[in-house]
Amino acid sequence: MTDGLNHAARRLRDAYSGRAIAPLRDVLAPTDADGAYAVQTINTRFWEAQGRRIVGRKAGLTAKAVQVQLGVDQPDFGVLFADMQIADGGSLDPARTIQPKAEAEIAFVLGADLPAADTSVEEVAAAVASVHAAIEIVDSRIADWKITFADTVADNGSSAFFVISEAGLPLAGLDLEGAAMEMDVGGKTASTGLGAAALGNPMNAAAWLAQTLAARGEPLKAGDILLAGALGPMVALTPGDHVEARIAGIGSCSFTYGPVR
C-alpha cells in the first residue's frame, strides 16, 4: 500500500507540469481520508525538502452542500506555501495553472500558537491578529474536476494560489457570520454569498483547523494564514479576467488572471 501511496503522490506532483491526471481510484477509495492525507503529507514533505515554506492552511468543503455532493460529513484541509501567495492587486500567469477557479473567502492571520486538540472558538478568536478578505484560486490536478473526497484531499485540497487583502482588521466587533460577499470576474458579479457559508461561521472553520492539526501533531502557529472556506460558488477563470472580492465590513482584494507584466 505504501508503494501505491508514493506512486499516487508522484502522479500528482507530475501533474503540476500542466497535464491533469485520472482520478486516484486505483489507490484511494472515494472516502479514504487516512490514505488521502498520507498522500498529501508525502508531497508536503517532498516540497519542504525542495525549499518551499509553509505559511498556513486552508479549509475546504466547508459548505454542507459540497460535503453532501462528495459523500462526506467533514471539511478537509490543505497546506499553504509561501510561493502560492499572490500580492493583492497582482497577477497570476495562466501558464501556472491547469483548470483554475476562484472563490472568495475570509482569512485570518494568527498572532499566537494554537497547540491544543480541544481548542475552542473563543481561544481561536483570542489568537487572531487580523482578519482579511481573501480569494483562493483552486485548481484540480484531476482531469475535468472529477474528484472524490479522497482525490481532493490527496491533491492538497485542490489548492493552487491565494490572495489576501493587504490591510487587515482586528476581529473585535466584526460580523463574520453575516458578512455579505460579492466577487466580480471580468467586470461582472459572478458569485455572492455570506460568511455563514463556512461551517456557519468562518471562526468555526478556523477552530476545526486548529483542532484537527493539533491532533495530528502539526499545530497552527503565530503568523500562520488560515483560509476559512468559500463564501459562495467558485467561478472558472479565463485569461485576462480581473477578479475582485468584496466582503462587507471586512474589505476587498483582487488579482488579474493574466501574464505578469
Side-chain angles (χ1 to χ4, degrees):
M1 185 60 176
T2 300
D3 287 345
L5 297 178
N6 280 312
H7 182 59
R10 176 62 184 268
R11 284 155 59 190
L12 286 167
R13 292 200 306 272
D14 289 347
Y16 277 79
S17 63
R19 181 171 294 181
I21 62 173
L24 302 171
R25 284 156 217 171
D26 58 321
V27 177
L28 298 172
T31 58
D32 182 0
D34 289 343
Y37 279 117
V39 172
Q40 184 187 126
T41 298
I42 290 166
N43 280 339
T44 298
R45 300 293 173 256
F46 176 87
W47 283 320
E48 284 187 295
Q50 299 300 304
R52 298 181 75 186
R53 180 171 59 88
I54 295 175
V55 295
R57 297 293 197 284
K58 59 149 290 182
L61 307 183
T62 51
K64 292 298 182 183
V66 179
Q67 291 182 15
V68 170
Q69 181 184 7
L70 293 182
V72 296
D73 60 358
Q74 61 181 314
D76 71 347
F77 69 82
V79 176
L80 301 178
F81 291 98
D83 58 10
M84 294 167 62
Q85 185 167 1
I86 303 165
D88 189 4
S91 297
L92 170 60
D93 189 340
R96 301 180 68 192
T97 63
I98 303 172
Q99 45 190 351
K101 302 181 181 187
E103 52 190 33
E105 308 192 12
I106 289 173
F108 304 105
V109 176
L110 296 182
D113 297 350
L114 291 171
D118 60 352
T119 298
S120 67
V121 169
E122 292 74 21
E123 289 168 330
V124 176
V128 169
S130 55
V131 183
H132 301 253
I135 302 168
E136 183 182 3
I137 299 92
V138 292
D139 190 10
S140 182
R141 270 59 63 174
I142 304 299
D144 301 319
W145 278 93
K146 292 182 177 178
I147 57 173
T148 65
F149 176 75
D151 288 320
T152 189
V153 168
D155 191 20
N156 197 30
S158 301
S159 61
F161 300 95
F162 68 95
V163 184
I164 67 170
S165 57
E166 188 170 350
L169 296 175
L171 177 62
L174 296 183
D175 178 12
L176 300 183
E177 183 176 336
M181 176 278 291
E182 291 185 338
M183 186 174 70
D184 292 352
V185 178
K188 298 180 180 179
T189 300
S191 181
T192 60
L194 290 172
L199 289 184
N201 188 308
M203 288 303 302
N204 294 335
W208 178 85
L209 272 172
Q211 295 160 5
T212 301
L213 290 163
R216 293 174 60 90
E218 304 171 17
L220 294 168
K221 298 179 180 180
D224 279 351
I225 298 167
L226 311 184
L227 299 183
L231 306 187
M234 57 187 179
V235 180
L237 297 177
T238 300
D241 281 343
H242 180 72
V243 183
E244 180 180 13
R246 299 181 299 276
I247 302 177
I250 294 173
S252 65
C253 62
S254 67
F255 78 100
T256 298
Y257 183 56
V260 178
R261 299 185 187 281

